[in-house]
Structure formats: structure tokens, C-alpha cells
Amino acid sequence: MEIKRVLVTGGTGFIGSETVIKLIEAGYDPVIVDNLSNSKDAVIGRIKTITGVRPTFYKVDCCDEEAFRKVFEKEKFQAVIHFAGLKAVGESVVKPIEYYSNNLESTLVLLKLMKEFDVRNIVFSSSATVYGVPKRVPLVETDPVGSATNPYGETKIMIERILTDTQFAWKDLNVALLRYFNPIGGHPSGLLGEDPNGIPNNLMPYICQVAVGKRDHLRIWGDNYPTPDGTGVRDYIHVLDLAEGHVATLKKLATDPGLVIYNLGTGKGTSVLEMVHAFEKATGVKIPYTIEAARAGDVATNYAATDKAFNELGWKAKYNIIDACRDAYNFQKKNPNGIE
Ligand code: WQD
């Protein structure tokens, strides 16, 4: 069936907002639902500045079934991209009940409303974290889903299972599970980027805050891993590539494929020290760092096999980490205190 109007839950977030831009540019009609618990409604205006289109926005919590139903009653969706959810690994260890109830309830309410209004396509924002501690790299979609090292990752595993079982019972439903590796970067305009609340957990926003003098230095969590330089290796993918991957996936769902699973990564591993040097090369800004003890729950190496997404979606990452460092820094410089 033709897909035109797309519900984007979490659409004012880092990946959600870039995806909304790509959807508009590809001729879709995205509608954002977001409770603004970890993003700002100023993002809507910035999407308009970039695309000329102000997407419809509802400030609604996906767990609020009554309010969320009103959106479905008003808008005729053909597909959903489900980004909404709590996503801080460390925080999830401290607040498991909040993570399980928010991430699972929001998904269950969403699926109930999709069934009620016969919306038959969903793309889910999953994560490489579902593989647990990799037995081998690069990770392939058929590799076993492990046990995550934190409640955040466990919610991703559980939601993948909920969607798999729902699709088995509701044959008309098409489900795409997109397993992101490490999203970084920002919109080249500098208007949108990663804008975490508080002290960043993730590497790139922390480096950017050091670069603008907001943080004194980077702490590198461990340099004794079995990797070329001892620091952790990850597959860092530009958020623009990630957003494009969602547009390619919607096109795939329109062919009624049932349940599909794709890694969205670059297929290349980069260590923390390599990232620091890439950032310095891309920006000319020196990043002082200290070496600290390894962080609990971290794996040594994690990067994607990307053949399946290329063969079935015709999609592959176009940007490299120098592009991503440049765009992430540009956003941070223009928004030293985040989006206000
Ligand atoms: C990357 C590397 C750290 C910060 C997690 C989730 C994933 C996704 C992204 C949500 C590791 C090192 C980091 C720092 C450091 N989730 N590091 N100093 O843990 O690979 O992935 O975030 O969006 O689902 O699992 O990302 O950026 O935290 O760490 O040395 O201050 O950088 O040890 O090797 P991670 P990360």
C-alpha cells in the first residue's frame, strides 16, 4: 500500500528530527508526537527553517492512551516510526522501573492504537545493544539476540520480541527492526544535533563539550581492551545516514515484507583514540584526555555487517567520521548551551 502520512514518535529528538527532515524532503507527510521529556519544541521551528515545512506536532506522552487515541482519530496514518523512549544506558541501571514501564507501555499503547485504526506499518528504533556481548564482529542480523548489560538494552530486546509476536498474530502488519550502532553528527546547518540533558554519557557530545570549553577534558574509559590501541571500538554512523536509512525502510515496508531486520552502521570500527584524533583533524581543536578505568557494561568491540541493508534496501552510509565530527562540532559551537 502507498505510505504518505507517517507518525513519528520521539520526532523532536536527535535521530527523530533528522528523520523528519528526510521524510519531508522525500515527499512524505510526517506527524510528530513527543512528550518533550528529553527534547525541545524549538526543534519544530528549526525543521521549518531547514525544510520550509512546519510538521504537525502533538505534545503527547505515548503512554497516555486517551490523548494518543485523539491523535489517531485526527490523523490518518499509513505508517509509524517509533523513536520515543528513554535511552540513557547508565540512568537505566539506576531507574529500571521507569525504563521498563515507559519504554514498554508506550509501545504497547502504540500497537493497540495501530490495531484499532488499522495502521499496518511500523519501523522500530532498535539498537546494536540487543546483541549483548558480541561473540564475533562484524555483527550480522542473524546473530543471536543476547542479554543486554542494562535495562535500556533489555527494553530494546523485549520490544523487538513484542513486535515479532504481534506481526506473527497480525499478518497484515509489516515490522522493520532497525538496529542502530553509534549515531553521531548533526545537521550541516548547525541547527540540529545531539543535545543531551546534563553530563553526556556518549562519547561524541562529551568531546564536543570539551571542544567548546564546557568540560575540562575527556575521560577515556579504559585502554586495556583487546583492540589495536586498547580503547573501545564502535561503529559510528552519521545521523544523516541513519535518517536516510529510515526513508529506505519505509519504501521496503510498502512492499508488504512482513518482519524485516537491518543493521544500520558503516561496517567500520573506530576506537576512542582514533575518534579523538579524527575530531582534532576535522576541527583543529585539541582534545585533552585522561585514561580512566573501564566503564561497567562496556564491550571491547562492536561494529556492523552492512550487506543486508545494502542488498535489500539499496542503502549504505555515505558520510565518514570526519564529516560527523565536523557537523557535531558545528552544532555545538552554534548551540553552546544546547537548543534553547
Ligand atoms: C562509545 C565508546 C566508551 C564516553 C550506547 C548504547 C547504544 C546507543 C549509544 C543510545 C565506548 C567510550 C564514552 C566517554 C569514553 N544508545 N567513552 N568516554 O556505550 O557504545 O552505546 O550509546 O543512543 O545503544 O549502548 O556509546 O558513546 O557511551 O561509548 O571513553 O566520556 O566511547 O567506553 O568505548 P556506547 P558511548
Side-chain angles (χ1 to χ4, degrees):
M1 75 180 294
E2 204 232 349
I3 294 174
K4 178 74 176 158
R5 180 157 300 161
V6 182
L7 164 61
V8 183
T9 74
T12 53
F14 172 42
I15 304 168
S17 55
E18 298 285 4
T19 300
V20 165
I21 288 167
K22 291 292 184 188
L23 288 172
I24 290 168
E25 291 171 351
Y28 290 94
D29 175 13
V31 173
I32 297 174
V33 165
D34 201 303
N35 67 2
L36 300 180
S37 64
N38 191 27
S39 56
K40 316 243 174 54
D41 62 0
V43 166
I44 305 292
R46 295 190 177 200
I47 291 172
K48 178 164 183 342
T49 303
I50 292 167
T51 64
V53 173
R54 175 182 290 276
T56 306
F57 167 58
Y58 294 92
K59 183 177 180 294
V60 163
D61 187 317
C62 295
C63 295
D64 179 346
E65 182 176 333
E66 195 186 332
F68 205 4
R69 177 175 282 103
K70 287 192 171 64
V71 177
F72 274 81
E73 285 164 351
K74 201 148 176 261
E75 310 281 354
K76 179 95 187 77
F77 297 120
Q78 288 85 42
V80 178
I81 302 180
H82 186 35
F83 291 107
L86 298 174
K87 63 157 201 163
V89 169
E91 184 186 56
S92 77
V93 175
V94 180
K95 299 180 179 174
I97 296 171
E98 193 175 340
Y99 269 69
Y100 284 117
S101 56
N102 180 77
N103 291 4
L104 300 182
E105 269 171 43
S106 57
T107 304
L108 292 167
V109 167
L110 173 64
L111 286 170
K112 183 177 178 185
L113 293 171
M114 284 177 69
K115 188 81 173 72
E116 193 176 317
F117 289 86
D118 198 26
V119 180
R120 300 181 184 182
N121 299 287
I122 180 167
V123 179
F124 174 57
S125 163
S126 190
S127 164
T129 205
V130 303
Y131 293 111
V133 181
K135 306 216 179 5
R136 60 164 186 184
V137 282
L139 282 154
V140 180
E141 288 84 350
T142 48
D143 280 337
V145 167
S147 61
T149 56
N150 55 80
Y152 154 80
E154 284 299 336
T155 65
K156 294 296 186 185
I157 291 169
M158 292 175 183
I159 294 168
E160 285 202 1
R161 184 60 203 261
I162 290 167
L163 290 169
T164 303
D165 291 346
T166 303
Q167 196 282 328
F168 183 79
W170 177 16
K171 294 291 185 221
D172 287 340
L173 181 66
N174 297 302
V175 173
L177 306 177
L178 298 185
R179 293 170 178 169
Y180 310 156
F181 281 69
N182 288 59
I184 57 171
H187 194 269
S189 65
L191 288 170
L192 292 174
E194 197 167 2
D195 179 19
N197 293 334
I199 301 172
N201 293 295
N202 293 142
L203 179 64
M204 183 55 82
Y206 202 102
I207 288 178
C208 287
Q209 291 189 13
V210 171
V212 297
K214 199 168 176 176
R215 308 269 168 211
D216 180 56
H217 65 283
L218 171 68
R219 294 159 304 171
I220 296 182
W221 305 127
D223 68 346
N224 289 321
Y225 286 106
T227 61
D229 63 23
T231 62
V233 170
R234 297 290 185 275
D235 185 334
Y236 296 97
I237 177 168
H238 198 301
V239 67
L240 294 180
D241 281 324
L242 208 51
E244 284 288 2
H246 289 74
V247 176
T249 302
L250 280 182
K251 291 191 177 80
K252 178 73 177 176
L253 290 191
T255 68
D256 290 335
L259 173 69
V260 288
I261 303 175
Y262 300 107
N263 288 335
L264 293 190
T266 67
K268 186 180 176 324
T270 300
S271 77
V272 179
L273 280 172
E274 285 170 335
M275 183 61 85
V276 169
H277 299 145
F279 189 90
E280 293 175 338
K281 182 172 171 219
T283 64
V285 178
K286 193 95 184 85
I287 300 295
Y289 61 84
T290 56
I291 302 290
E292 311 287 343
R295 183 170 66 176
D298 273 358
V299 299
T301 300
N302 195 342
Y303 59 91
T306 57
D307 317 85
K308 192 178 179 206
F310 181 68
N311 296 335
E312 294 187 16
L313 303 177
W315 171 90
K316 70 181 190 140
K318 298 196 292 277
Y319 298 96
N320 60 39
I321 56 168
I322 296 288
D323 299 320
C325 288
R326 180 197 61 229
D327 292 337
Y329 181 54
N330 183 33
F331 169 74
Q332 187 73 57
K333 265 192 315 183
K334 292 183 174 169
N335 304 273
N337 298 311
I339 292 173
E340 290 170 308

